[in-house]
């Protein structure tokens, strides 16, 4: 029995005093003060979306910093035309060269692969033919492609420097502008003597302009008539398509 009494006294013996109770009673206030101090420190710190470079410099960072650079000319209309390879000044100069067969051509400009003007003139030719009741877009594109292939092969045989297919298509397409004028006049009837004479004049106009540009771009002096003849045959097909 004595052992059981000693075990009970040892079991219920504790070091818990009133002081510990008071200290535990004050712990919620301590935790509350600690929470309030942390909350205050968090509110005092500035919230920034990025870390400034001065912090890296102060910590001994020796790397390279990249700063975004805005280019105001990136979204300008001229930048888009430059990326597409469209030069309105050269287009205007080529158009004036075609409209005036006696004007000397600039070989540096004419030796460019510019298809903006040829596509516009081909669409304009098909549109004016559509006004006369002729849906001939397929014939216009087909004859243009086959004609460019023939002239391209001929010029490569005659010229020592050679020429690209894009350059040939560009020159022949620009010289299609007088044919657009003829198709505009075809809204009125051209199936008479006046229409025949006008068609012959336009064929000579187109072929002379094309041959002038080719000899200027390829340095083929003295061979203009040899180049003008196949060009006249090609533009003669467009004239037949326009008049009849």
């Amino acid at each position: 029995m004595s052992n059981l009494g000693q075990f009970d006294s040892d079991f219920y013996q504790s070091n818990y005093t009133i002081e510990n109770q008071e200290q535990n009673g004050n712990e919620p206030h301590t935790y509350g003060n600690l929470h309030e101090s942390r909350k205050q420190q968090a509110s005092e710190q500035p919230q920034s979306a990025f870390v400034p470079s001065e912090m890296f410099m102060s910590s001994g960072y020796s790397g390279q910093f990249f700063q975004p650079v805005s280019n105001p000319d990136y979204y300008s209309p001229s930048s888009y035309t430059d990326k597409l390879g469209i030069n309105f000044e050269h287009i205007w100069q080529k158009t004036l060269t075609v409209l005036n067969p006696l004007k000397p051509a600039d070989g540096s400009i004419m030796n460019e692969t510019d298809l903006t003007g040829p596509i516009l003139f081909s669409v304009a030719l098909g549109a004016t033919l559509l006004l006369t009741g002729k849906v001939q877009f397929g014939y216009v594109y087909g004859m243009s492609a086959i004609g460019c292939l023939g002239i391209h092969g001929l010029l490569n045989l005659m010229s020592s420097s050679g020429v690209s297919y894009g350059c040939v298509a560009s020159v022949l397409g620009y010289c299609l502008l007088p044919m657009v004028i003829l198709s505009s006049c075809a809204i009125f009837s051209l199936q008479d003597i006046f229409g025949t004479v006008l068609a012959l004049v336009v064929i000579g106009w187109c072929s002379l302009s094309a041959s002038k540009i080719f000899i200027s771009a390829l340095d083929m002096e003295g061979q203009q008539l040899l180049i003008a003849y196949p060009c006249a045959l090609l533009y003669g097909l467009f004239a037949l398509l326009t008049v009849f």
Side-chain angles (χ1 to χ4, degrees):
M1 293 295 292
S2 61
N3 294 331
L4 290 176
Q6 185 179 0
F7 176 77
D8 291 338
S9 62
D10 293 338
F11 179 80
Y12 289 104
Q13 185 179 1
S14 173
N15 294 326
Y16 187 80
T17 60
I18 299 177
E19 295 178 357
N20 294 334
Q21 184 177 4
E22 292 178 355
Q23 183 178 359
N24 293 333
N26 294 329
E27 282 182 358
H29 299 286
T30 305
Y31 292 153
N33 296 331
L34 180 61
H35 178 68
E36 291 179 358
S37 62
R38 289 181 179 178
K39 188 174 182 181
Q40 184 177 2
Q41 290 178 1
S43 62
E44 290 177 356
Q45 291 180 355
Q47 297 180 357
S48 59
F50 63 95
V51 179
S53 60
E54 288 79 4
M55 295 183 65
F56 291 103
M57 297 299 294
S58 61
S59 62
Y61 179 74
S62 60
Q64 186 177 4
F65 297 97
F66 294 95
Q67 298 294 334
V69 179
S70 61
N71 188 4
D73 297 333
Y74 183 78
Y75 296 102
S76 62
S78 60
S79 63
Y80 291 111
T81 56
D82 293 339
K83 292 177 182 178
L84 294 175
I86 300 174
N87 193 331
F88 292 103
E89 183 179 357
H90 288 183
I91 293 173
W92 178 247
Q93 291 180 3
K94 292 178 183 179
T95 304
L96 292 179
T97 304
V98 172
L99 292 176
N100 187 7
L102 302 179
K103 179 183 178 181
D106 188 0
S108 61
I109 297 178
M110 298 304 171
N111 201 11
E112 295 178 354
T113 306
D114 177 24
L115 298 179
T116 305
I119 292 174
L120 292 177
F121 295 153
S122 299
V123 173
L125 180 60
T128 51
L129 289 175
L130 186 62
L131 293 177
T132 62
K134 303 175 183 178
V135 185
Q136 306 291 355
F137 286 99
Y139 286 101
V140 171
Y141 298 147
M143 289 191 300
S144 299
I146 296 174
C148 290
L149 285 174
I151 300 297
H152 175 255
L154 181 64
L155 290 176
N156 283 326
L157 292 175
M158 297 176 62
S159 175
S160 59
S161 59
V163 62
S164 63
Y165 180 81
C167 179
V168 174
S170 176
V171 173
L172 294 177
Y174 272 103
C175 294
L176 200 64
L177 179 58
M179 198 61 61
V180 177
I181 299 173
L182 178 64
S183 63
S184 301
C185 298
I187 297 175
F188 312 99
S189 180
L190 293 178
Q191 297 181 4
D192 52 7
I193 297 177
F194 174 75
T196 303
V197 173
L198 182 61
L200 292 175
V201 171
V202 170
I203 291 171
W205 186 358
C206 295
S207 59
L208 287 177
S209 298
S211 60
K212 175 190 66 176
I213 296 173
F214 280 132
I215 64 172
S216 176
L218 301 176
D219 296 330
M220 299 173 61
E221 297 296 334
Q223 303 182 26
Q224 183 173 3
L225 294 178
L226 296 176
I227 301 174
Y229 177 71
C231 293
L233 294 178
L234 174 62
Y235 291 115
L237 296 177
F238 288 105
L240 291 175
L241 188 65
T242 302
V243 175
F244 300 102

